[in-house]
Each structure stands twice: as C-alpha cells, then as structure tokens.
C-alpha cells in the first residue's frame, strides 16, 4: 500500500483556454506607484505645515512663528454648512492650533519616511474628514471633494504597506516599539503563490481531504518528505 504523508501539497491545475496576459513587473510597478502616492501625499501635509509655520505663501504676519493662528483663516473665513458655528468657535484657539499643526507635521513626516503609516492614516483620515465637514456642501460637487479622496488614499496606503517601498517601513517593523505594539505596523497583505501552477501550501492544521478551488480543477498530492529506501519502495509497489 502507498505511504501517505500527513503534510499535503496542493497543486492547482490551470484551466484550459486562453489566460489573460500578466506582466512579471506588475507587482513591483504597483508597489512603486503606491510609494510615489505616499510621498506625494506626505509632501502635501508637510508643505501645509511649513507654509503655516513660516508664512511661505501666506502673509508673514499670519505665520505661526510670528504670532498668527493657523486655524483662524480657514475656520473663520472658509467654514460653511451645518458645522460652521462649531468651527467658528474653535478658530484661533491655542489648543486647536497646536493639534492642527502637530497633526500636519506628524502625518507628513510619517508618510514621507514610511514609518507609522497606520497611525498616520488614522490621524490623516480624521483630519481630512473634519476639513471636509467644514466646507459642506462642496463648491463643485454635491458631496465629493479632494478631502474625501485624500482620506481614502491615505487609508489605502496603510492597507498595502506603502511604507516598505522607498521608505523605512521594513526597518520600522523590526523596531522594539513595533514588536511590543504590533498595532503600529500595517498588516501584511495576502500574497499568492509564486510557483507556476501551484498555490500556497495548506496549514498543518488543515484537513488533507479539504477541497480548494482557484479558477480551475484542484489536485491534492501527498508528498512523502522522507528519502526513498528499498524497504519504502517495496511498500509503495505493494
């Protein structure tokens, strides 16, 4: 009788017919696109921080280092909609200025360096949605504007581990702080098996008789990890 090992190898037979062409460079290209998007969005936050801190585009007297209030101009002059009164009340408050500036600096730095992208995504999404509620309804659309688009983008950056490419995300994930608090590291995305015609091996706890399907027929092969011997060959042939 045949010797069956309890560690199965799952082999996925390719379906017949024409398969869509897939470039080998697709995955690296996608990673670099997300990395460039991360750097671009990070620079948007950093530039807003530097401008309000030093008055690079705004008037010098409105710069934060010259005694200006970073939240006063936007929340008093541009706020509209159902939350206008709330934002007018907190415009120019010291705590609002500090939270706003620290948020811009922290989010921008994290995205540019590729570290703490999950925390930056959470804080950035909250900040962007609040800025969206300050100008309801948007001027050129019933509900959608660039703040919501940026919020969705920053969430996507955390979901795909965009800090690992052109950033320090991998080193950040090996630090003692992240090992102690894994929530600071973005979850690893699921990857498909790279071997041709094969999928990922089943976990050890999985049943060897479990049937899986991925676009075609599935063949389950039981692989014997031990080297063949005359005694084992005789058992197989019997």
């Amino acid at each position: 009788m045949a010797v069956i090992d309890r560690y199965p190898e799952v082999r996925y037979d390719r379906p017949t017919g024409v398969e869509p062409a897939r470039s080998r460079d697709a995955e690296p290209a996608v990673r670099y696109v997300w990395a460039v998007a991360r750097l671009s969005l990070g620079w948007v936050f950093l530039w807003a921080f530097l401008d309000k801190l030093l008055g690079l585009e705004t008037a010098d007297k409105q710069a934060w280092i010259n005694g200006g209030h970073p939240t006063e101009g936007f929340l008093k002059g541009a706020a509209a909609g159902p939350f206008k009164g709330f934002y007018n009340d907190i415009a120019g408050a010291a705590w609002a200025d500090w939270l706003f500036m620290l948020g811009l600096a922290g989010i921008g730095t994290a995205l540019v360096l590729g570290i703490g992208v999950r925390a930056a995504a959470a804080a950035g999404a909250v900040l962007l949605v609040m800025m969206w509620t300050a100008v309801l309804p948007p001027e050129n659309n019933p509900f959608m504007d660039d703040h919501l688009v940026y919020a969705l983008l920053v969430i996507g950056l955390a979901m795909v581990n965009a800090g690992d490419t052109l950033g320090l995300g991998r080193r950040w994930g090996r630090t003692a702080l992240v090992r102690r608090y894994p929530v600071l590291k973005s979850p690893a995305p699921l990857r498909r098996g790279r071997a041709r015609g094969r999928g990922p091996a089943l976990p050890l706890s999985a049943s060897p008789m479990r049937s899986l399907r991925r676009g075609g027929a599935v063949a389950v092969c039981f692989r014997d990890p031990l080297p063949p011997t005359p005694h084992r060959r005789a058992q197989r042939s019997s």
Side-chain angles (χ1 to χ4, degrees):
M1 57 181 295
V3 178
I4 299 178
D5 181 54
R6 63 186 180 129
Y7 302 107
E9 177 190 3
V10 181
R11 183 173 300 164
Y12 299 91
D13 295 337
R14 293 185 177 276
T16 59
V18 179
E19 296 182 2
R22 181 179 180 183
S23 173
R24 295 182 179 179
D25 298 331
E27 184 178 347
V30 169
R31 290 191 287 106
Y32 280 103
V33 167
W34 278 106
V36 172
R38 188 199 83 238
L39 293 171
S40 302
L41 188 57
W43 177 243
V44 169
F45 279 95
L46 276 183
W47 178 256
F49 168 76
L50 295 174
D51 176 39
K52 296 182 180 300
L53 176 67
L54 305 174
L56 301 178
E57 289 186 348
T58 58
D60 291 341
K61 63 179 180 179
Q62 297 178 356
W64 200 25
I65 60 174
N66 295 329
H69 297 282
T71 61
E72 187 172 16
F74 176 74
L75 295 183
K76 275 192 175 296
F83 302 101
K84 179 179 179 180
F86 167 74
Y87 288 115
N88 287 162
D89 292 339
I90 67 174
W95 63 269
D97 291 340
W98 276 96
L99 284 179
F100 182 61
M101 294 297 284
L102 290 176
L104 291 178
I107 297 167
T109 302
L111 292 179
V112 169
L113 296 181
I115 61 175
V117 177
R118 173 182 278 192
V126 171
L127 178 60
L128 289 165
V129 170
M130 290 186 67
M131 295 177 69
W132 172 73
T133 60
V135 291
L136 288 177
E139 183 178 356
N140 299 318
N141 193 280
F143 67 93
M144 183 63 67
D145 71 348
D146 55 341
H147 296 103
L148 287 185
V149 175
Y150 284 161
L152 294 173
L153 175 59
V154 75
I155 293 174
L157 294 175
M159 294 178 64
V160 299
N161 279 345
D164 291 354
T165 304
L166 300 180
L168 303 177
R170 297 184 187 275
R171 294 185 180 181
W172 168 256
R174 294 192 295 265
T175 60
L177 179 63
V178 176
R179 290 179 179 178
R180 185 173 182 180
Y181 302 102
V183 70
L184 297 175
K185 175 66 176 176
S186 301
L190 297 177
R191 297 182 181 273
R192 294 185 177 181
R194 293 181 179 273
R196 177 175 296 181
R198 294 185 180 183
L202 286 174
L204 297 182
S205 60
S207 171
M209 301 305 295
R210 178 173 296 178
S211 171
L212 301 176
R213 180 177 297 275
R214 181 186 292 178
V218 180
V220 181
C221 302
F222 295 90
R223 180 175 56 188
D224 192 350
L226 299 178
T229 62
H231 177 67
R232 293 171 64 81
R233 290 195 187 99
Q235 286 183 332
R236 291 181 178 178
S237 61
S238 60

